[in-house]
Amino acid sequence: MKKRKCFLLAVVLLLMLAFVFAPVANAAENDTLNFRLMFNCSTVSPYLHFNDADWWWQAGVFEPLVWLNDANGTFEPMIAKEWSVSDDGLVYTFKLRDDVYFHNGEKLKASDCVFSYNLAKQAPTLTTFTSPYDKAEAVDDTTFKVHLKEPYYPFLHHSSMIKIVSEKAVSEQGADFGTKVALAGTGPYYMTEYNPAVKVAVKAFDKYYLGKAPIENVNYIVMVDDSSAVIAFERGEIDIIQVPSTYWADISKSDKYGSKITPRHELYYLIVNMNSPEQNKILANKDIRQAIGYCVDKQAIVDVVKEGLAIPYDQFMDPAITAGGPESTIKYEYNLDKARESLKKAGYPDGVNVGTLMSFSPSEYVKMAQIIQASCAEVGIKFEIEQMEVAAGLTEMRAGKTSMSFCASTFLLDYDYIGRYFHTRNDATHFVKYKGSDLIDWKTIDNKFDDGTRAKDPAQRKKIYSEAERIIMDSGTYFPIMMTSFGMAWQKDLSVDTSKWGAFFMFSPYDWAWKK
Amino acid sequence: MIRYVVKRVILIIPILLGVSFLVFAILSFTPGDPASTILGNGATEEAIKQLNHELGYDLPFLQRYVIYITDIVTKFDFGFSYRTRLPIANELVSRLPISLKLASLSIILACLIGIPVGIMTAVKQYTMFDTVPTITALIFAAFPTFWLGMLLLYAFSLKLGIFPSYGASTWVHFVLPVIGLGLPEAATMMRFTRSSMLETVRQDYIRTARSKGAPERSVIWKHALKNALIPIVTIIGVDFAALMGDACATEVLYSLPGLCTMIINGIRQKDVPSVMGATLLLTAFCSLVVLLVDIVYAFIDPRIKAKYSGSRG
C-alpha cells in the first residue's frame, strides 16, 4: 500500500516536472515578428488620444494621404498620388490612387477621406492639426479637396498626421470604434487581435496596393519593464526592440543583433518661469534666468541620462529638416564664467537662491535636475529639487506654479508646430505665461507665428520665425537641452530596411523581411 | 453561524463605500486631470476642456461620486476607462484570474515550503535543522520582490532558457513569477509557523500528552500542529489577500496584466475608473477572504464552533 502511494506520488511529480519543463514554444515563429511596446495601448482609433505604443502599431495599419519623410523633410505619396495647392493657399486638392482597399474589402473613395477629416476635426487630440481646416469635399471618387479658413502653408505637415479610415467600417462600429478590432485602415497590415494591456496582433493584407508584406504576422507585445524586455530580446522572444538607453552600449556592440540610431525629434528642455512668485519674484530678473541657462551641462546630461542616445541641443528644431525652422541666433552653451557674469550683472555676484526645480519622478528627470543643481551651485545659484508624478507636475506647470521644471516634447517638422507652446492663444496651458507680461515682447511672438503660417516662401518663413525664436531664447524662459534618438535593435535573422528610418514614428514592418 | 456570516457580509458594504469615497477623493483632489495627461504637454485649453467634458470629469466631485456609485449599484456598471474607453467591468474580468492565479499559486508554494520547514525548525530547535533554514528564511524575507524576480528571470529564462520571460498564456508562464513572489512569502510563513509551533509545544496539554506516553510524531502532528494552525490560517488568509494587491513589481517584471498594474497605470494616467474598479474589487476580495478565514476557524477549532453554536440558541 505504502509502495503504491510512493509510486503514484512519483508519477504525479514526474508529470508535473514534465509539464513545467516542457520546451517553451518559440515565440518567434517563422512567419511572426514580435515587436516590443513600452506602454499599454490606449486606442484603436487614430483620432482618439494616443501614446507612443499606439503610434508604433498603427503605423502599419492606418495611412495618411501623404507621408512626411522626416529623414529629409519631404513629402511622399501614400494614399494620395499627387496634390496641389490653390494660388490663394485656401484649397488643397489631393488626387487619390484608385487601387486602395480598406481591410474590410471596400475600395477607398474620396468620400472616405471627407469622413475621416470630419472625424479628425471632432477629436480633441488632433485640434492642432485640424484647426485651419474648414471643410472637405469629394469632387469624384479619386479627387479630394480640403478648404481652409485662411491660407495655412504648414497644412501638408498636418495632413500627414490625419489617417484615413473606412466610413463603412467605422459607422458599423459606431461608438465602439477605437475599443476593438477594426478593419478600417488601408495599411499593409490589418488587425486580428486587440488587447491593450497585452498585445496587438496584425496580419499582412493581401490587397495592399504596394503588394503584400513579406512578414505574415506581427505581434506588438506590451512589456513595460525595460530589463525584462531586454532579456526577452536576448532570448529571441522579441525580434525588434527600442533599446533602453542603459542597455544600448552592450546591445549595439554585439554582433548577434542589427542596430541603428535614428532621430526621434524629441526635445528635452528646461523651463524657467519668469512669473514665479518664489523668493520675491527673483526669476523675473532676466540675467538670473540666463545665468541658469549657462549652467546647463548638456553633454553631461546626454552622457548620464541618455547614455549616447541623444545629442546636446541649442535650439527647438533642426533647421535642416524643419519647414520654416530658423538657425538659432542665441545659444546657451555650458559656460560657468558667463553664468557668473550674468549673475554679477543681475546684482548677485555672491550667488542667489532661486527657489525650487520641480522634476517629474522618473529617474531621468531627477538625474537632469541633480546635474543642473550641481553646476548651478558652483556659481552660487541654489535651489531645491522637488519631485512630482507627471500628471500632477504638468498641472502645476500649466498653472504657472513652478519656478523651474523640465519637459520633453516631440515636434512635428514645421516650425509652426512649436507655436502652440508660445503663441498666447494657448496661454492657459503654457508653462510660462507670456500674455500681458512686460518681461517679454509676446505680441511680436504672436504676430510672427501668425505671419509664418501665411507665408508661402520657405525662406521668408524662416526669416519670420527667426525673430520669434530670438525673442524666446533671449527671454531665458526655455532652454533646449538635448534631442533624443531611438536606439533600435533587431535579431540577425531579420532583414530590416532602415532607409526610411528617421521618419516620424514610421517604423512600419512593411519594409522588413526574414532572411532566407 | 449563518446569521454571523450574513452579518459579516453586510458589514462589507460600509467598508466598500468608505474605501471608494476615500480613493475617489484622493484621485480627484490631487493635481491633474485626465485630459491633460492624455493630450500631453502641448494641448490647447479648448481640447483639454472638450475631452474632460467628454469624460464627464468636468462635473463637481460629489456629483461624479454619486453617479459612479449609483451606476455600480443599479447597473453593475463600473464605467469605462478614460484611457482605453473600454468598460472597466470587462477589464476586471480579464485581469482578476491572472491576479488570482498568481496570488493563489504563490501562497500555495509559500505554504508547501514554509509550514513544513517551520514545523521542522520548531521541533529541532537550536540544531542545524533550525539554524540553517532560519538564516535562509531571513535572507529570503529580506529580498526585494523585484530583485529576486530579476534574478530568476536572468538565471532561468536568459541563461538556462527553461522558462519564458513574459506573458500569461500558459501555466509555464507563471512558474517564475510564482517562485519570485512565493519564496519571500514562504520565508515569512516559515518564521511564523516556527514561533507558533514553539509556543504550542510549551503548552501544558502537550506536556500531558508526552507524559501519557503518546509517540512524539503523534504529539507534534495531532496535538501541537492542530493548535498551532489557527494563527497560521489567519496569516495565510491575510497574506493571500495582500499578495493580490502586492504583486506590482512581479506583474510589471513578467508582463502579467493583473489588477496591480491596472491600478499603477490608472494612477499614472489619472484614469479614475480603472483605479476605482480595481481597488473596489481588491477591497471586496480582501474582506471576503478575512470572512472566509473566520469561518475556517470554526472548522479547525471546536471551541470557536461551539461558541457559534452556543450563541445561536
Side-chain angles (χ1 to χ4, degrees), chain B residues 108-288:
Chain B
I108 289 171
L109 180 74
C111 291
L112 285 177
I113 299 172
I115 295 176
V117 178
I119 295 167
M120 182 186 76
T121 51
V123 173
K124 311 268 183 191
Q125 198 185 10
Y126 303 134
T127 67
M128 194 186 72
F129 295 104
D130 175 27
T131 320
V132 174
T134 304
I135 292 172
T136 313
L138 271 173
I139 293 169
F140 272 103
F143 277 167
T145 321
F146 75 91
W147 186 79
L148 182 61
M150 185 55 71
L151 215 64
L152 291 168
L153 204 56
Y154 181 79
F156 293 99
S157 184
L158 182 62
K159 290 295 166 193
L160 298 174
I162 299 172
F163 297 108
S165 60
Y166 71 91
S169 48
T170 68
W171 285 92
V172 182
H173 290 92
F174 281 87
V175 174
L176 291 184
V178 164
I179 296 173
L181 204 58
L183 279 187
E185 187 58 37
T188 312
M189 196 79 78
M190 185 230 112
R191 295 179 62 209
F192 197 83
T193 308
R194 181 178 180 272
S195 54
S196 180
M197 274 298 281
L198 283 175
E199 202 176 308
T200 313
V201 292
R202 286 176 192 138
Q203 298 294 320
D204 290 345
Y205 57 85
I206 297 292
R207 202 175 299 126
T208 309
R210 280 187 178 133
S211 61
K212 282 169 76 180
E216 186 61 18
R217 183 176 290 182
S218 169
V219 170
I220 297 299
W221 293 99
K222 210 171 160 190
H223 298 280
L225 184 61
K226 261 194 173 180
N227 287 288
L229 260 182
I230 298 170
I232 295 171
V233 166
T234 314
I235 285 293
I236 293 172
V238 172
D239 282 8
F240 175 46
L243 279 178
M244 288 283 290
D246 270 358
C248 298
T250 308
E251 285 185 14
V252 169
L253 202 59
Y254 294 96
S255 303
L256 297 171
L259 290 170
C260 297
T261 43
M262 186 174 171
I263 293 176
I264 296 284
N265 291 336
I267 291 170
R268 282 190 184 145
Q269 289 152 347
K270 202 79 185 173
D271 193 348
V272 181
S274 289
V275 182
M276 288 298 297
T279 310
L280 282 179
L281 187 64
L282 284 174
T283 309
F285 185 81
C286 287
S287 306
L288 287 174

Side-chain angles (χ1 to χ4, degrees), chain A residues 19-24 27 34 40-43 48-51 121-125 127-128 178-180 194 196-198 221-225 227-228 230-232 234-235 237-238 247 269 388-396 398 407-409 420-421 425-426 428-429 431, chain B residues 30-33 35-48 50-51 54-55 81-87 91 94-95 98 150 153-154 156-167 170-173 175 217 252-257 261 265 267-270:
Chain A
F19 170 72
V20 167
F21 290 98
V24 177
N34 289 327
N40 288 4
C41 302
S42 61
T43 179
L48 297 177
H49 49 80
F50 43 65
N51 57 32
K121 197 178 180 187
Q122 295 163 21
T125 40
T127 311
T128 308
T179 61
K180 58 185 184 183
Y194 176 68
V198 180
I221 294 161
V222 178
M223 298 187 76
V224 178
D225 185 70
S227 308
S228 41
V230 169
I231 286 179
E234 290 181 330
R235 247 177 76 77
E237 290 176 290
I238 295 290
Y247 296 91
Y269 47 95
M388 290 186 90
E389 270 296 318
V390 177
L394 270 178
T395 304
E396 294 290 291
R398 284 190 178 123
C407 209
S409 299
R420 68 178 181 166
Y421 292 83
R425 78 167 81 91
N426 296 333
T429 57
F431 305 139
Chain B
T30 45
D33 60 281
S36 300
T37 315
I38 290 163
L39 296 174
N41 58 13
T44 63
E45 194 183 8
E46 294 75 35
I48 291 172
Q50 188 190 334
L51 188 53
E54 283 175 19
L55 298 172
S81 159
Y82 289 160
R83 196 176 52 81
T84 64
R85 303 193 186 215
L86 287 165
E91 202 162 347
S94 71
R95 285 174 181 264
I98 290 168
M150 185 55 71
L153 204 56
Y154 181 79
F156 293 99
S157 184
L158 182 62
K159 290 295 166 193
L160 298 174
I162 299 172
F163 297 108
S165 60
Y166 71 91
T170 68
W171 285 92
V172 182
H173 290 92
V175 174
R217 183 176 290 182
V252 169
L253 202 59
Y254 294 96
S255 303
L256 297 171
T261 43
N265 291 336
I267 291 170
R268 282 190 184 145
Q269 289 152 347
K270 202 79 185 173

Side-chain angles (χ1 to χ4, degrees), chain A residues 309-433:
Chain A
L309 285 178
I311 48 170
Y313 225 66
D314 293 321
Q315 54 194 98
F316 294 108
M317 298 173 83
D318 181 357
I321 56 169
T322 304
E327 191 66 55
S328 193
T329 50
I330 298 177
K331 294 177 180 176
Y332 293 87
E333 77 275 24
Y334 174 57
N335 188 328
L336 296 185
D337 290 334
K338 279 192 177 179
R340 286 189 190 97
E341 266 175 47
S342 290
L343 266 187
K344 199 173 168 186
K345 202 172 150 195
Y348 297 92
D350 300 326
V352 62
N353 187 336
V354 295
T356 314
L357 190 158
M358 192 283 290
S359 161
F360 296 138
S361 44
S363 63
E364 62 177 18
Y365 287 101
V366 180
K367 285 180 194 168
M368 283 165 65
Q370 287 165 342
I371 290 169
I372 295 175
Q373 188 184 40
S375 44
C376 276
E378 284 191 48
V379 299
I381 300 174
K382 293 183 188 120
F383 57 81
E384 299 291 321
I385 297 171
E386 179 193 19
Q387 290 182 47
M388 290 186 90
E389 270 296 318
V390 177
L394 270 178
T395 304
E396 294 290 291
M397 288 161 73
R398 284 190 178 123
K401 289 180 181 171
T402 52
S403 296
M404 293 194 288
S405 53
F406 296 114
C407 209
S409 299
T410 304
F411 298 129
L412 188 63
L413 294 182
D414 190 292
Y415 201 80
D416 171 61
Y417 190 78
I418 72 156
R420 68 178 181 166
Y421 292 83
F422 301 111
H423 195 298
T424 58
R425 78 167 81 91
N426 296 333
D427 204 57
T429 57
H430 286 174
F431 305 139
V432 183
K433 314 291 182 198

Side-chain angles (χ1 to χ4, degrees), chain A residues 114-397:
Chain A
V114 176
F115 175 79
S116 301
Y117 270 64
N118 287 336
L119 209 56
K121 197 178 180 187
Q122 295 163 21
T125 40
L126 295 174
T127 311
T128 308
F129 309 122
T130 55
S131 55
Y133 164 75
D134 182 23
K135 61 176 181 179
E137 101 183 85
V139 179
D140 56 46
D141 278 356
T142 56
T143 311
F144 170 59
K145 276 190 178 179
V146 178
H147 298 265
L148 305 182
K149 295 171 190 160
E150 57 182 33
Y152 188 80
Y153 287 97
F155 183 72
L156 264 189
H157 281 81
H158 288 201
S159 64
S160 72
M161 304 300 288
I162 299 172
K163 309 285 176 68
I164 303 301
V165 293
S166 157
E167 181 174 5
K168 189 178 174 210
V170 173
S171 302
E172 277 172 2
Q173 288 201 339
D176 286 342
F177 179 62
T179 61
K180 58 185 184 183
V181 170
L183 300 177
T186 59
Y189 286 92
Y190 65 93
M191 297 179 73
T192 56
E193 186 185 337
Y194 176 68
N195 186 341
V198 180
K199 77 169 181 181
V200 179
V202 298
K203 197 171 176 62
F205 182 39
D206 288 333
K207 290 168 94 173
Y208 186 56
Y209 54 88
L210 294 176
K212 192 177 174 185
I215 295 175
E216 185 69 23
N217 303 296
V218 181
N219 292 331
Y220 293 89
I221 294 161
V222 178
M223 298 187 76
V224 178
D225 185 70
D226 283 343
S227 308
S228 41
V230 169
I231 286 179
F233 176 68
E234 290 181 330
R235 247 177 76 77
E237 290 176 290
I238 295 290
D239 299 299
I240 186 160
I241 188 174
Q242 182 193 331
V243 183
S245 52
T246 31
Y247 296 91
W248 176 249
D250 288 340
I251 287 189
S252 60
K253 278 177 201 155
S254 168
D255 56 5
K256 290 197 287 185
Y257 317 112
S259 63
K260 190 188 176 186
I261 292 181
T262 189
R264 187 178 184 174
H265 307 302
E266 180 194 47
L267 182 75
Y268 280 66
Y269 47 95
L270 171 70
I271 302 144
V272 181
N273 184 3
M274 61 186 188
N275 304 313
S276 168
E278 257 195 309
Q279 302 293 326
N280 292 323
K281 297 188 175 180
I282 193 81
L283 290 176
N285 188 325
K286 187 168 92 173
D287 292 316
I288 291 179
R289 299 197 300 271
Q290 290 181 335
I292 294 168
Y294 287 121
C295 290
V296 180
D297 189 347
K298 298 170 187 179
Q299 189 60 55
I301 291 173
V302 165
D303 293 342
V304 172
V305 177
K306 289 292 176 184
E307 302 192 38
L309 285 178
I311 48 170
Y313 225 66
D314 293 321
Q315 54 194 98
F316 294 108
M317 298 173 83
D318 181 357
I321 56 169
T322 304
E327 191 66 55
S328 193
T329 50
I330 298 177
K331 294 177 180 176
Y332 293 87
E333 77 275 24
Y334 174 57
N335 188 328
L336 296 185
D337 290 334
K338 279 192 177 179
R340 286 189 190 97
E341 266 175 47
S342 290
L343 266 187
K344 199 173 168 186
K345 202 172 150 195
Y348 297 92
D350 300 326
V352 62
N353 187 336
V354 295
T356 314
L357 190 158
M358 192 283 290
S359 161
F360 296 138
S361 44
S363 63
E364 62 177 18
Y365 287 101
V366 180
K367 285 180 194 168
M368 283 165 65
Q370 287 165 342
I371 290 169
I372 295 175
Q373 188 184 40
S375 44
C376 276
E378 284 191 48
V379 299
I381 300 174
K382 293 183 188 120
F383 57 81
E384 299 291 321
I385 297 171
E386 179 193 19
Q387 290 182 47
M388 290 186 90
E389 270 296 318
V390 177
L394 270 178
T395 304
E396 294 290 291
M397 288 161 73

